[in-house]
Amino acid sequence: MNTLFKRHFALTAGMILLSFALLGASFMTLSYQFTLRDRKAALDEKADYMAVLAGRLMVMGLDVDGEDFNDYLSTAVRLIDADVLVCDEDGTVLAASDKAGLSAQWLGAAVPEDFLRHLDKDTEYVEYSTLSLFSEPRFVSGAPVRMDWEEQNALLGYVLVSVSNDALTQMWGLLANLFLLSAAVVLCIAFLSSSLSSRQQVKPLQEMTGVVRRFGMGEYDLRVQQHTCQRKDEVGELARAFNAMADSIALSEQKRSEFVANISHELKTPMTTIAGFADGILDGTIPPEKEREYLKTISDETRRLSRLVRRMLDMSRFQNHDMVLSQTEFDLTEVLAQTLISLEGKINGKGLDVDARLPDNPVYVWGDPDAITQVCYNLLDNAIKFSHPGTVIGVAVAARGGKAHVSIRDTGETIPPEELPLIFDRLHKSDRSRSLDKEGVGLGLYLVKTILNDLKETITVTSRDNVTEFVFTLTLAR
């Protein structure tokens, strides 16, 4: 399994290795070039020094192949820590001295002419070569020997100074070993810290994975542990977001269970009544003179069931977006007037008065006439149910700021402040509505809110001093 830990560890390890490889190559190359340049400069300086020394010895009359000249040459070799060859102007080696005492093998040998030409032209020249003299490549520099070095007059010969590359190679090898050792230690520490860091990051994710799996199986009380939520990084933010989502889902599940219980209760009551009265009529328990009364009760309960099922279907269509709301122009006052007329029987039955403050002229708005009719019907029906008998229902329309504001007001029990934010929930049914509304299950206001949300409109509610008022908006068309 290609886990997050493996990917993170592999990425970190790869970056560290690549960084060390680039850094190591750059460091080794720069150090080698710097040391080599320093070595060549020192070798060229030694060649100039030996050329001046050889020229002065020759001017003093010392024979190049004489014992005194070779004594001076041997002493100088020990001082400059390099091998020295002295040759004539044709390149034939006349004298030689080295630290190992093998200088005799070079006597009489010839130095390549092209190397000598470089010494005549270049003031600083170093070549890494055998020059057909040495058994292995060496750094070789040289300088012409003149009677007077400053005047650059009569050429007496050449001096060649050479050093082996062993010391430089050994030094470079020591540096490489030191660097590789340091790199190995740093890599081990980096890999260890990367491993611990990766596991520390992956551990809470694994914990959340387990919680999510169990949460998906119905354990809605599970939450990510508090210490993970207290982290100040993205993992902590994810844990807090999950817990918030889990709280919301758990609340929705709780409300769904309550809704199912409410529906079961609301369906059970009328069905029990219908079945009981129907059985009573069929088996003769109910006397014939009372059959009409009980058939009316059966009819009322049947209509109640019909209303309940219809509201549930409407709610389902809105939730699944099967009901597409149109945006057409219509007269809002006409919709309100027709809705009031349709509810006239309920209004009169409860002895209510209507204070309708509608404009004399039409108020044209954008929206779905059928959906807005349902909004008005639900709000007015709700106001009738919860109004005290003999009170007044207020209906008003006002246009301002490009919006039509519709107000529907009733006088009844005050809704507690803590319940106001909940009355539009699909599954909410306050204690007041349970005591007064025997037909509803808390769907009417939810449908109102859903319709207005789909139309990008707003609705608010206030309740104080036994007066409850709903106000919703619609966009003016003219």
Side-chain angles (χ1 to χ4, degrees):
M1 181 178 178
N2 190 17
T3 62
L4 181 62
F5 168 74
K6 291 181 180 178
R7 291 198 299 269
H8 180 76
F9 183 81
L11 178 62
T12 304
M15 292 298 295
I16 292 175
L17 287 174
L18 180 60
S19 300
F20 265 100
L22 293 175
L23 181 63
S26 301
F27 174 77
M28 298 305 296
T29 300
L30 290 175
S31 62
Y32 183 80
Q33 293 298 327
F34 176 81
T35 305
L36 183 61
R37 185 172 64 250
D38 186 67
R39 176 65 61 91
K40 287 182 177 180
L43 190 62
D44 184 75
E45 184 179 350
K46 292 175 182 179
D48 291 341
Y49 169 77
M50 291 303 302
V52 173
L53 177 63
R56 290 179 178 177
L57 292 176
M58 290 180 183
V59 171
M60 291 172 57
L62 296 180
D63 293 334
V64 176
D65 56 352
E67 184 176 350
D68 292 338
F69 189 93
N70 280 280
D71 288 341
Y72 280 111
L73 196 62
S74 298
T75 301
V77 165
R78 288 192 294 272
L79 290 175
I80 66 174
D81 193 24
D83 300 335
V84 178
L85 282 75
V86 181
C87 55
D88 58 18
E89 59 271 19
D90 296 328
T92 302
V93 179
L94 303 177
S97 180
D98 66 348
K99 297 175 289 184
L102 301 175
S103 57
Q105 62 180 327
W106 298 324
L107 296 177
V111 178
E113 293 183 4
D114 58 343
F115 181 77
L116 297 178
R117 285 196 296 271
H118 278 294
L119 298 182
D120 290 332
K121 296 178 181 179
D122 302 332
T123 56
E124 297 181 1
Y125 180 73
V126 178
E127 183 174 327
Y128 184 68
S129 171
T130 62
L131 293 182
S132 302
L133 298 173
F134 312 113
S135 59
E136 59 184 12
R138 288 186 168 201
F139 290 104
V140 184
S141 183
V145 180
R146 303 182 185 278
M147 292 186 65
D148 190 338
W149 179 262
E150 295 181 357
E151 295 295 333
Q152 296 290 310
N153 52 16
L155 179 64
L156 301 178
Y158 298 92
V159 169
L160 276 63
V161 178
S162 68
V163 293
S164 173
N165 192 37
D166 293 342
L168 184 62
T169 302
Q170 291 176 0
M171 183 188 69
W172 190 83
L174 290 175
L175 287 174
N177 291 334
L178 179 61
F179 180 82
L180 291 175
L181 179 61
S182 302
V185 173
V186 173
L187 284 174
C188 289
I189 296 175
F191 288 159
L192 180 61
S193 61
S194 175
S195 176
L196 294 176
S197 175
S198 299
R199 291 188 181 278
Q200 193 69 18
Q201 292 180 10
V202 170
K203 184 177 179 180
L205 295 179
Q206 292 174 336
E207 174 196 341
M208 281 188 279
T209 301
V211 172
V212 170
R213 286 200 183 100
R214 295 172 61 188
F215 192 89
M217 297 174 66
E219 299 183 41
Y220 298 116
D221 58 333
L222 290 178
R223 298 294 183 271
V224 179
Q225 295 182 8
Q226 189 64 26
H227 67 83
T228 303
C229 296
Q230 291 175 348
R231 292 175 57 140
K232 303 300 182 182
D233 54 8
E234 290 81 357
V235 175
E237 185 176 353
L238 176 61
R240 291 189 292 273
F242 172 80
N243 282 350
M245 179 198 69
D247 291 339
S248 177
I249 293 177
L251 181 60
S252 297
E253 181 63 20
Q254 178 185 354
K255 289 186 176 182
R256 185 193 65 82
S257 299
E258 293 176 358
F259 175 71
V260 172
N262 292 341
I263 291 295
S264 300
H265 173 75
E266 296 296 335
L267 290 175
K268 179 181 178 181
T269 301
M271 291 176 67
T272 302
T273 302
I274 293 170
F277 288 163
D279 291 341
I281 293 173
L282 291 174
D283 61 17
T285 304
I286 297 175
E289 62 273 11
K290 291 188 176 183
E291 286 183 359
R292 183 175 181 82
E293 177 184 348
Y294 287 105
L295 285 174
K296 184 178 182 303
T297 302
I298 292 175
S299 177
D300 291 340
E301 292 298 322
T302 303
R303 288 189 177 90
R304 180 184 172 194
L305 282 176
S306 177
R307 286 194 299 272
L308 175 60
V309 172
R310 185 172 62 252
R311 286 191 174 185
M312 291 178 63
L313 291 175
D314 290 341
M315 181 187 69
S316 178
R317 286 199 298 272
F318 275 111
Q319 285 183 322
N320 297 326
H321 302 284
D322 293 335
M323 183 177 290
V324 179
L325 299 180
S326 61
Q327 287 283 348
T328 59
E329 181 180 332
F330 65 94
D331 183 6
L332 177 59
T333 57
E334 182 181 354
V335 169
L336 282 169
Q338 290 177 352
T339 306
L340 285 170
I341 292 173
S342 67
L343 291 169
E344 185 177 1
K346 289 187 176 182
I347 295 173
N348 294 333
K350 207 166 184 179
L352 302 174
D353 289 330
V354 177
D355 180 16
R357 300 182 181 182
L358 304 179
D360 295 332
N361 298 322
V363 178
Y364 291 100
V365 295
W366 288 107
D368 188 319
D370 294 335
I372 298 303
T373 299
Q374 185 170 5
V375 168
C376 296
Y377 185 92
N378 287 355
L379 291 177
L380 287 169
D381 186 56
N382 197 67
I384 295 169
K385 291 174 186 177
F386 303 131
S387 292
H388 289 164
T391 57
V392 178
I393 292 178
V395 180
V397 176
R400 59 180 181 271
K403 295 282 187 178
H405 296 259
V406 181
S407 169
I408 297 177
R409 183 180 69 257
D410 69 82
T411 303
E413 296 295 330
T414 301
I415 302 176
E418 63 273 11
E419 288 199 14
L420 284 177
L422 306 175
I423 62 174
F424 293 108
D425 288 356
R426 177 186 59 183
L427 309 174
H428 181 73
K429 196 177 182 189
S430 67
D431 292 338
R432 183 175 74 114
S433 71
R434 285 192 182 279
S435 63
L436 297 176
D437 181 12
K438 301 302 183 181
E439 298 180 355
V441 287
L443 297 179
L445 292 180
Y446 170 76
L447 290 175
V448 167
K449 181 72 170 178
T450 303
I451 291 172
L452 291 174
N453 282 345
D454 287 347
L455 291 173
K456 304 297 187 294
E457 301 295 347
T458 61
I459 183 170
T460 58
V461 58
T462 58
S463 185
R464 62 176 66 91
D465 299 329
N466 294 332
V467 177
T468 301
E469 183 178 22
F470 290 85
V471 179
F472 68 91
T473 63
L474 291 172
T475 303
L476 292 172
R478 301 182 185 179

